Amino acid sequence: MRLLPIQHCGKGMILGKSVYLNGKSLLIREGTVLTETSLNKLARIGIQVLHIRENAQDSARTDSARYKETMHALEMLLAGVYDRLYRDRSTDGLAEMLDNCRDAVEKLSNVLLNGQRMFKPFVWAAMTLDSRKRHFIENALHVCVNTITFGLRSGCVGGELYALGLGALLHDLGSLRFTCDSNRHPQEGYTLLKHFGLMHLTAIAVLQHHERIDGSGYPLGLKEGMIDPFARWIGLIDYFDVLVHGRGGECPMPRHEVVELLYSCAGSLFDLADVRRFCSHLELFPPGSNVRLSSGEYAIVTDVDKHLLRPVVRVIRNARGETLRRTHEIDLSQELHLVIESIDQTETSAYRAEEMLELALVASR
């Protein structure tokens, strides 16, 4: 069964799960063949996603297509949750939205399980002009995907993995109810999830994701052994995401600087083993990244297979910024006296193509 944003559904598709209004009144029954009229009516009353029965053609879709499809569905669901709790100050229909979130997280977990990846720089751009809403959606999706991947690498499977992913997706749910006293939002999120019958593991992870192992966190001031492991993981990855993407007008930090900060907090705010496991799989310098070395030279990352944090780079300009006639590669895992000082995350593939063309022209002279 597929979970599709309603705008991606078309006539002739067969509904795989009945749709209810506010979780009570039956609107359209499972097995119904959808028409343009029925789809338009459902969209007008605010239905974000539909469960659609799969056919032989659907089953041939790639993991990449399933991933994008599920992410779009999750974005629509989070937008609906935001509008209901923050804008309308209502919980009408929230039960069905959360139930759909649980289904979508399960599908996302299975897609990621089939194609496990390193923690590549993951960015999802939400389709809204409302900056607060956009941050809520993007942070929820970033933390969800990275936490599920972390969970997979930590041996989580089945129901535990789904509970972890759902807790990561909904970790800031309570912030939509309390905008002034931010320290109350974990408790409010926990209360909402328990009220709507979500798994205990999910609710506890939401309640404790701002706890820190030295007891300086909130809302309960728990210390190391008292904090649920899922909550520790979500808290760590949320902290990483906030620093990398910025929040409240603060400037985003480069990933390699955030890693240094995480290690400096290990043993006080975060568990050292968690930090090591997270950072050891974090691809900070994807191939094609433009970097500046501690020697002052400029280079392009060409290979990360040997060492994620110390990749192979091709030096293309000297410390004065002059393009080299003959470029050369340096394996930073072997040349330990050199480090990457900065990375230009604004470079576009088009710019890199121009850069490589210029190098080719220089080399041919």
Side-chain angles (χ1 to χ4, degrees):
M1 192 182 301
R2 303 165 66 186
L3 188 62
L4 291 178
I6 195 164
Q7 62 267 36
H8 293 176
C9 298
K11 65 178 181 178
M13 290 183 173
I14 300 175
L15 194 64
K17 185 177 180 180
S18 299
V19 178
Y20 293 84
L21 181 62
N22 295 332
K24 301 173 184 177
S25 304
L26 179 65
L27 291 176
I28 185 168
R29 193 177 300 279
E30 175 185 343
T32 301
V33 178
L34 297 171
T35 64
E36 287 188 10
T37 301
S38 61
L39 286 169
N40 289 336
K41 287 181 178 179
L42 290 171
R44 282 201 300 271
I45 62 176
I47 302 298
Q48 296 96 2
V49 298
L50 293 174
H51 292 76
I52 302 296
R53 287 185 184 174
E54 285 192 304
N55 53 37
Q57 185 177 1
D58 293 332
S59 62
R61 288 174 298 125
T62 64
D63 281 339
S64 177
R66 293 174 188 272
Y67 172 78
K68 291 179 181 178
E69 180 180 280
T70 305
M71 292 297 289
H72 280 297
L74 279 169
E75 180 181 346
M76 294 300 101
L77 287 167
L78 289 168
V81 169
Y82 181 95
D83 290 340
R84 193 57 49 90
L85 286 177
Y86 183 73
R87 187 191 66 188
D88 302 338
R89 299 297 178 185
S90 170
T91 58
D92 289 344
L94 191 61
E96 188 172 5
M97 291 181 190
L98 295 178
D99 187 50
N100 286 333
C101 284
R102 180 177 55 201
D103 290 344
V105 166
E106 182 174 338
K107 293 179 186 301
L108 177 63
S109 300
N110 291 331
V111 170
L112 293 175
L113 174 63
N114 291 334
Q116 287 190 44
R117 307 176 301 170
M118 292 179 294
F119 291 114
K120 296 180 183 294
F122 166 69
V123 179
W124 186 266
M127 297 180 292
T128 175
L129 297 178
D130 182 332
S131 59
R132 192 182 194 283
K133 184 176 183 179
R134 183 173 64 251
H135 170 77
F136 171 76
I137 293 172
E138 291 174 354
N139 174 252
L141 293 176
H142 295 164
V143 175
C144 181
V145 170
N146 287 333
T147 301
I148 291 173
T149 309
F150 185 84
L152 286 168
R153 292 191 173 276
S154 302
C156 285
V157 293
E160 282 197 344
L161 183 65
Y162 307 152
L164 171 65
L166 190 58
L169 183 77
L170 303 175
H171 69 279
D172 270 347
L173 185 71
S175 67
L176 302 180
R177 299 291 293 273
F178 286 101
T179 57
C180 297
D181 185 357
S182 62
N183 286 7
R184 294 179 62 185
H185 83 265
Q187 179 68 57
E188 180 62 17
Y190 171 82
T191 302
L192 280 169
L193 296 183
K194 293 294 286 184
H195 175 75
F196 288 107
L198 270 74
M199 288 176 282
H200 180 69
L201 282 174
T202 294
I204 287 294
V206 169
L207 174 65
Q208 297 181 4
H209 77 278
H210 276 297
E211 302 290 353
R212 299 294 180 252
I213 64 173
D214 62 358
S216 64
Y218 60 88
L220 303 175
L222 301 178
K223 290 191 175 182
E224 189 167 3
M226 304 169 67
I227 305 171
D228 182 83
F230 285 4
R232 290 201 325 259
W233 299 352
I234 294 170
L236 170 66
I237 294 170
D238 178 45
Y239 187 76
F240 170 83
D241 185 73
V242 167
L243 293 177
V244 165
H245 294 102
R247 174 182 281 179
E250 296 182 8
C251 293
M253 291 175 61
R255 285 176 173 79
H256 63 285
E257 291 183 14
V258 175
V259 167
E260 295 297 330
L261 183 57
L262 288 181
Y263 271 108
S264 72
C265 296
S268 55
L269 301 184
F270 304 109
D271 180 81
L272 176 58
D274 291 345
V275 172
R276 282 177 173 164
R277 192 180 308 123
F278 177 70
C279 293
S280 67
H281 295 296
L282 187 63
E283 187 176 301
L284 302 178
F285 310 110
S289 300
N290 290 262
V291 298
R292 188 172 187 270
L293 304 178
S294 54
S295 61
E297 297 168 303
Y298 297 84
I300 294 177
V301 176
T302 59
D303 188 9
V304 295
D305 286 344
K306 292 183 180 179
H307 201 295
L308 294 176
L309 300 181
R310 298 190 66 81
V312 176
V313 301
R314 178 169 292 279
V315 178
I316 57 174
R317 298 181 188 276
N318 61 26
R320 296 186 296 276
E322 299 166 340
T323 301
L324 300 178
R325 282 183 173 275
R326 291 186 178 180
T327 64
H328 60 280
E329 283 195 341
I330 298 176
D331 185 347
L332 294 179
S333 68
Q334 301 299 315
E335 304 293 334
L336 300 181
H337 64 287
L338 287 175
V339 298
I340 293 177
E341 280 195 341
S342 62
I343 177 171
D344 189 344
Q345 302 184 64
T346 64
E347 298 287 3
T348 64
S349 58
Y351 179 86
R352 287 197 291 270
E354 292 175 4
E355 181 95 55
M356 298 309 294
L357 178 59
E358 182 181 349
L359 288 172
L361 291 173
V362 169
S364 66
R365 289 171 189 163

